[in-house]
Amino acid sequence: MDSYRQEKVQKFEEFVDRRLKPDLTRAIAERDKVFEQQKIFSDLRKNIENLEKNSVTSLRTLVNLGSEVYMQADVPDTQHIFVDIGLGFHVEFTWSEALKFISQREDKIARQIDEYTRLIASIKAQIKLVCEGICELLQLPAETSVQEAIF
Amino acid sequence: MQNLLHFANFLGSFRACSVNLTDQNPLQRINQINQSVMEEPTAKGTVTSISSMFPVDDVQKAAKRVQDALSEKQQELERVKEFISDNTNLINLVQKLPEELHHDIMVPFGKAAFFPGRLIHTNEFMVLLGEGYYAERTSKQTVEILKRRGKVLDSQVDSLKAMMKDLQAEASFFDTTASEAAEGLVEIREEYGEENLSERTSESGLLKQDSSRLSEADNLKDEDELYARIMSRLDELEKEELAWEIENGSAESKQNNVAKSDNAKYGDEDNELEEAELAAETENRSDENKQNNAAGSDNENNEDEQANTVSDQFSNQISLDHNLRHSECTGLTVQAALEDAKPRTKSLATNVNVEANSAEKALVLPKEDNVATAPLSIQEISAQASKPEFDRYKAFTESIIEHNYNLQTDQQEQIRNTSKPSGSQSSKPVSRFKMQRK
């Protein structure tokens, strides 16, 4: 029976290491990407609100040409802003439209994050379950030996 | 071909290098036998399996590790190459921008939004020098900065490539070692033993001597030269033997000739080789006898005198051995040799005659180190027996070594005459020999 138990224990451990743990890492990576998106859009929203607050019409910025070599750029009219709505499309928005879009986008991102969080939680639960099973298998032999000692 | 095989055995024993035990061609089998024979009495050599020195698993793991390191370096190399290409593109852009006063562009606003705008001050560049320090430079100055950066990247690439090369060499070494260990190669080291030519009682003994003498692990250079010589000699012998087979028995003389000519160049080792060769040939008495008889009938009797002496010794020993066992054959071989017009045959026949006349003395001959003595004895012996038929042995041109017999000088003079080999006569000695042999 011991060898059979050992086999089972090994199988469970293998399952955890090969399937569950990589799944967990992958899910966490995906969720991190969505977090980034969320941050980008929240920054954009803050910037647009800033522009609106200060009524900034023109802008002088430094544009990164590559390898951290910057060149001055001038934005004459900041009323129209092109926002990336996904799939390679950029739509020309006014500030208010842009803000509306950004808020919708943020909601969607939040829902995605929730999904990923639930998935990660389920994977973690599965790992915990398998570990408990292994512990049970390992404890039983210890319990029987203890009982015999008592007798 | 038996002679060649035996000769090749010694060749194999010369090379004290790794022997693949799994190969079972005759040469290596005999080599193994030689080694076993050698190691029992002399016990000087060590046989270490390469797999014991480098365990197969470890070698494979090491090879894997090296492969991983190699792939890592490869990835880094790719990254640095990317940087270099980016740098080159930027140089081009920086050179191109000042051509216009303004450039209409889409100015990025964060990661997800753009503003339409224009690039202004097209000759002013802000370059990050690191640690939060920027430098405002013109286009030309920026290009210089970027070129200097490019040089740094190039040197990085060179160092990475050198490291990769070293890793590759390491990997190839591990691979070959792993394959060798898997095949079961064995490293054999033998110490140089003293020459011992006094005992030639058995072929294995002879083999042992030659092997121990010739398989020195120390003097590799001499071994290589010897090996080359022996290889050339072997080739010549092979050719001769082929011709002999074609001529139905004249190959032996060629072998003798070749052996003689080769011996002329070599030192004692060659003599020993020949002696060993002779001893090896004693196994195949009938063939050797035929060959000996045929030697005389070979066309290549005009070789060096020294070569002749060696071959004489060679043939002498062979014939002597033969005579020991077949006294009747002795007489027959003499007759056969007599009929043969070739000196080799004559020498062989005389060897046989010597045996008949003075077996003891003939026996002494092979045990002498001096190659010269053997031919002399042969000559003298032959002089005695074949004096009346001397005219036939015109091609006998080897030098003769002193012996107790009379007619020595006469024989030598006669022997020095050259004659044309007659292939037809070779058959006669062979047939007569065959008839007489039981």
Side-chain angles (χ1 to χ4, degrees):
Chain A
M1 275 306 281
D2 274 341
S3 67
Y4 174 72
R5 252 198 221 103
Q6 289 283 350
E7 243 184 68
K8 278 283 174 183
V9 168
Q10 206 177 351
K11 253 198 233 175
F12 286 159
E13 281 181 5
E14 244 179 88
F15 181 61
V16 168
D17 284 335
R18 293 253 190 89
R19 277 298 301 279
L20 295 180
K21 287 212 176 131
D23 280 354
L24 187 64
T25 49
R26 250 179 284 147
I28 288 175
E30 297 283 318
R31 197 173 68 153
D32 288 346
K33 261 192 264 175
V34 182
F35 269 140
E36 270 182 42
Q37 286 272 49
Q38 195 189 40
K39 184 172 182 296
I40 287 169
F41 275 105
S42 82
D43 284 348
L44 186 60
R45 189 160 53 81
K46 281 189 197 139
N47 281 332
I48 291 175
E49 284 169 357
N50 239 344
L51 285 180
E52 250 183 311
K53 203 165 43 158
N54 295 332
S55 307
V56 173
T57 50
S58 66
L59 207 49
R60 184 73 73 83
T61 67
L62 282 172
V63 179
N64 188 357
L65 301 176
S67 305
E68 305 294 321
V69 173
Y70 294 90
M71 188 178 257
Q72 289 182 42
D74 191 40
V75 179
D77 180 23
T78 59
Q79 291 298 324
H80 297 277
I81 185 167
F82 288 80
V83 186
D84 176 19
I85 58 170
L87 297 177
F89 284 96
H90 294 75
V91 177
E92 193 174 354
F93 284 125
T94 61
W95 285 343
S96 50
E97 287 169 355
L99 284 171
K100 244 195 291 179
F101 167 74
I102 288 169
S103 60
Q104 278 178 357
R105 195 66 198 273
E106 276 183 334
D107 289 341
K108 182 166 171 282
I109 287 174
R111 275 200 299 270
Q112 277 183 349
I113 288 174
D114 280 343
E115 255 189 59
Y116 273 117
T117 310
R118 251 182 276 128
L119 176 69
I120 287 167
S122 75
I123 293 177
K124 279 189 182 166
Q126 285 174 18
I127 291 174
K128 196 108 196 277
L129 188 70
V130 174
C131 285
E132 286 284 318
I134 294 171
C135 287
E136 268 191 40
L137 278 177
L138 291 175
Q139 274 174 11
L140 272 176
E143 284 177 10
T144 53
S145 65
V146 168
Q147 287 170 6
E148 285 170 5
I150 291 172
F151 288 136
Chain B
M1 285 306 290
Q2 290 295 328
N3 296 335
L4 279 175
L5 270 179
H6 296 301
F7 191 61
N9 295 340
F10 294 102
L11 260 174
S13 65
F14 296 161
R15 304 294 281 175
C17 48
S18 302
V19 172
N20 193 344
L21 293 172
T22 57
D23 259 3
Q24 285 301 321
N25 65 51
L27 173 63
Q28 286 168 343
R29 245 180 279 139
I30 292 159
N31 198 15
Q32 292 170 22
I33 294 167
N34 286 349
Q35 286 165 5
S36 63
V37 167
M38 271 162 36
E39 287 164 12
E40 288 165 7
T42 60
K44 286 178 194 171
T46 59
V47 177
T48 55
S49 148
I50 282 185
S51 55
S52 70
M53 287 200 307
F54 307 108
V56 182
D57 291 338
D58 289 355
V59 171
Q60 282 173 351
K61 280 184 208 162
K64 220 188 200 178
R65 256 180 284 141
V66 171
Q67 290 288 350
D68 291 341
L70 200 66
S71 60
E72 268 183 47
K73 291 281 174 267
Q74 184 73 32
Q75 281 175 5
E76 268 200 52
L77 191 70
E78 297 289 333
R79 234 180 302 144
V80 177
K81 278 190 179 164
E82 254 185 64
F83 291 155
I84 290 175
S85 73
D86 284 346
N87 206 34
T88 333
N89 289 339
L90 189 60
I91 288 173
N92 293 337
L93 182 68
V94 169
Q95 280 170 342
K96 210 163 42 105
L97 280 178
E99 290 169 13
E100 295 280 332
L101 271 180
H102 305 105
H103 291 273
D104 285 328
I105 58 164
M106 292 295 274
V107 182
F109 195 65
K111 287 267 172 67
F114 295 96
F115 278 119
R118 1 174 53 187
L119 276 178
I120 56 171
H121 300 158
T122 52
N123 203 29
E124 295 170 18
F125 294 88
M126 190 91 74
V127 186
L128 172 70
L129 304 176
E131 295 296 318
Y133 281 90
Y134 288 82
E136 200 157 346
R137 303 250 92 192
T138 66
S139 163
K140 210 160 150 204
Q141 292 160 338
T142 310
V143 165
E144 282 169 19
I145 291 175
L146 292 176
K147 280 197 175 148
R148 284 195 288 271
R149 281 190 196 169
K151 269 195 214 152
V152 170
L153 289 173
D154 286 340
S155 69
Q156 271 187 29
V157 166
D158 289 340
S159 73
L160 273 176
K161 280 187 179 166
M163 283 167 70
M164 275 177 63
K165 213 171 156 189
D166 291 341
L167 283 173
Q168 270 170 0
E170 223 179 302
S172 67
F173 166 71
F174 280 134
D175 285 340
T176 52
T177 312
S179 60
E180 283 178 2
E183 283 177 4
L185 273 178
V186 168
E187 187 176 334
I188 301 153
R189 289 184 170 278
E190 290 150 6
E191 296 184 11
Y192 176 64
E194 288 283 327
E195 294 185 7
N196 184 14
L197 302 173
S198 59
E199 297 176 359
R200 293 280 179 80
T201 53
S202 67
E203 177 191 353
S204 62
L206 259 174
L207 293 174
K208 206 193 311 184
Q209 288 171 12
D210 291 332
S211 306
S212 60
R213 222 183 311 107
L214 297 163
S215 59
E216 305 168 15
D218 307 81
N219 210 352
L220 285 174
K221 194 183 175 186
D222 291 347
E223 272 186 341
D224 288 341
E225 291 174 7
L226 182 65
Y227 183 72
R229 285 186 231 147
I230 290 160
M231 283 310 296
S232 62
R233 198 155 131 205
L234 190 62
D235 292 342
E236 289 171 339
L237 286 173
E238 279 181 322
K239 288 179 202 165
E240 284 189 343
E241 197 154 350
L242 279 173
W244 175 74
E245 288 174 0
I246 293 167
E247 294 178 3
N248 195 19
S250 61
E252 181 60 20
S253 61
K254 283 181 190 173
Q255 282 183 3
N256 291 337
N257 288 327
V258 176
K260 284 180 185 177
S261 56
D262 287 342
N263 252 346
K265 308 168 196 172
Y266 303 158
D268 289 343
E269 291 180 348
D270 299 327
N271 293 335
E272 294 163 0
L273 273 175
E274 274 218 348
E275 291 164 349
E277 195 176 4
L278 290 172
E281 288 195 2
T282 54
E283 282 182 349
N284 220 339
R285 299 275 138 74
S286 59
D287 290 345
E288 286 178 347
N289 263 334
K290 291 179 199 175
Q291 288 169 354
N292 290 338
N293 294 327
S297 62
D298 197 348
N299 293 334
E300 298 181 7
N301 294 325
N302 303 331
E303 300 288 340
D304 301 339
E305 291 183 356
Q306 227 171 348
N308 287 339
T309 58
V310 173
S311 68
D312 283 343
Q313 182 192 17
F314 173 89
S315 55
N316 185 23
Q317 291 179 357
I318 295 166
S319 56
L320 287 171
D321 289 330
H322 283 292
N323 292 329
L324 282 173
R325 288 165 180 75
H326 306 280
S327 56
E328 291 183 356
C329 299
T330 301
L332 290 171
T333 51
V334 172
Q335 291 177 13
L338 286 178
E339 291 182 4
D340 201 341
K342 311 241 169 126
R344 297 294 155 74
T345 308
K346 171 190 176 187
S347 64
L348 293 166
T350 56
N351 292 336
V352 174
N353 284 330
V354 173
E355 189 64 22
N357 293 328
S358 57
E360 295 178 355
K361 288 178 184 175
L363 282 173
V364 171
L365 284 172
K367 296 176 184 179
E368 290 176 349
D369 276 349
N370 191 357
V371 177
T373 56
L376 261 184
S377 64
I378 296 164
Q379 290 298 329
E380 291 172 341
I381 294 163
S382 64
Q384 285 185 357
S386 61
K387 188 183 177 184
E389 314 232 0
F390 168 72
D391 292 337
R392 297 195 175 242
Y393 308 116
K394 294 176 185 175
F396 206 57
T397 56
E398 58 273 26
S399 62
I400 307 304
I401 305 168
E402 61 276 0
H403 203 75
N404 297 334
Y405 296 93
N406 299 326
L407 306 170
Q408 181 179 350
T409 52
D410 293 341
Q411 195 62 34
Q412 288 180 358
E413 289 172 358
Q414 291 173 342
I415 286 162
R416 291 214 167 81
N417 294 334
T418 58
S419 75
K420 299 171 189 175
S422 58
S424 61
Q425 292 185 0
S426 62
S427 60
K428 283 181 190 174
V430 176
S431 61
R432 290 196 183 188
F433 189 69
K434 272 183 187 167
M435 279 165 49
Q436 291 297 329
R437 283 198 71 160
K438 292 173 185 175

